Amino acid sequence: MVKAYAQEHVYKHPWERVTLASWRKFTDPENKRALSHILEVDTLNHKLDPQAGKLYTTRALIIHAPGPWFVRKIVGQDICHCVESTVVNAQSRSMQLSTRNISLQKFVEVEEKICYNPHQDNPDSWTICRQETSIRIKPLSALASMAEKVEQRCAEKFMQNSVKGREVMERICKYLESDSSGIGL
């Protein structure tokens, strides 16, 4: 069983501003409350390929992922370790992020893909964000119906966190916009 969903969001900000906001999303202290499920983010490596115009980055994320009490009893923890791989292509103006869990894999597999590109209708001023998430609970055969409910609850939590993430991105974009025009918030 796999629970998957996709969503799109248009940022009415240029691609350069949105991608800069993406890098700041987890590091800005003002976002700690909205993104309280993100406990820690560490850059593991980054590599710039100047000939291809690409930046490759890998980050480790520690996420508080509380589930129903019975799931915590089975799993034994509510902290999840994830790896985020990012490729920024300056030439094509594309930023692709792929995040997957590396802990709790015998119970659940989560993969999230986000892509930021200039919007086709207004490429100099707007950015389209496409997000795809898949959640797969690996149940024992006797727990299959429970797994479906857990997948649904996980998907609902991811959707709520996506809304918070977009709100944070919008706030950072507005800050960057006012900062670039010399107006402080």
Side-chain angles (χ1 to χ4, degrees):
M1 290 174 285
V2 174
K3 182 73 177 173
Y5 69 91
Q7 51 187 347
E8 289 187 355
H9 179 75
V10 176
Y11 290 99
K12 295 194 176 178
H13 300 278
W15 178 83
E16 293 80 4
R17 185 178 301 143
V18 172
T19 55
L20 180 58
S22 177
W23 289 117
R24 291 185 173 190
K25 183 164 86 171
F26 299 134
T27 60
D28 188 336
E30 299 237 356
N31 302 332
K32 293 292 185 193
R33 192 174 341 173
L35 302 175
S36 60
H37 62 290
I38 306 294
L39 302 177
E40 195 171 325
V41 179
D42 293 304
T43 300
L44 301 176
N45 67 43
H46 58 272
K47 175 187 168 196
L48 179 62
D49 182 346
Q51 291 170 318
K54 293 183 180 181
L55 172 66
Y56 300 90
T57 303
T58 304
R59 300 194 294 183
L61 288 78
I62 300 176
I63 299 172
H64 181 239
W69 67 269
F70 57 87
V71 173
R72 283 195 309 271
K73 273 287 206 207
I74 295 168
V75 173
Q77 64 184 32
D78 59 2
I79 300 296
C80 185
H81 297 268
C82 300
V83 172
E84 174 193 82
S85 300
T86 305
V87 178
V88 179
N89 186 328
Q91 293 173 353
S92 67
R93 296 174 71 205
S94 168
M95 181 178 193
Q96 298 180 354
L97 299 93
S98 178
T99 307
R100 65 177 39 237
N101 64 304
I102 57 171
S103 65
L104 308 176
Q105 285 186 339
K106 67 180 181 179
F107 301 105
V108 63
E109 288 179 349
V110 178
E111 183 175 19
E112 178 184 51
K113 294 181 180 183
I114 300 175
C115 189
Y116 299 103
N117 291 298
H119 194 282
Q120 65 183 18
D121 295 338
N122 194 347
D124 293 328
S125 299
W126 295 355
T127 304
I128 184 83
C129 171
R130 291 183 176 91
Q131 177 186 16
E132 298 175 8
T133 304
S134 65
I135 302 161
R136 180 173 174 245
I137 303 295
K138 296 180 174 181
L140 303 171
S141 59
L143 301 176
S145 65
M146 185 189 319
E148 286 183 49
K149 291 175 184 164
V150 172
E151 284 174 344
Q152 181 62 39
R153 188 159 177 196
C154 289
E156 290 167 3
K157 190 67 174 171
F158 267 85
M159 296 283 279
Q160 292 169 358
N161 288 338
S162 293
V163 170
K164 291 177 188 177
R166 284 193 301 273
E167 290 169 356
V168 164
M169 290 283 291
E170 285 288 352
R171 188 187 66 70
I172 294 171
C173 284
K174 287 178 182 170
Y175 170 78
L176 292 169
E177 180 180 31
S178 67
D179 193 43
S180 69
S181 63
I183 302 170
L185 289 180

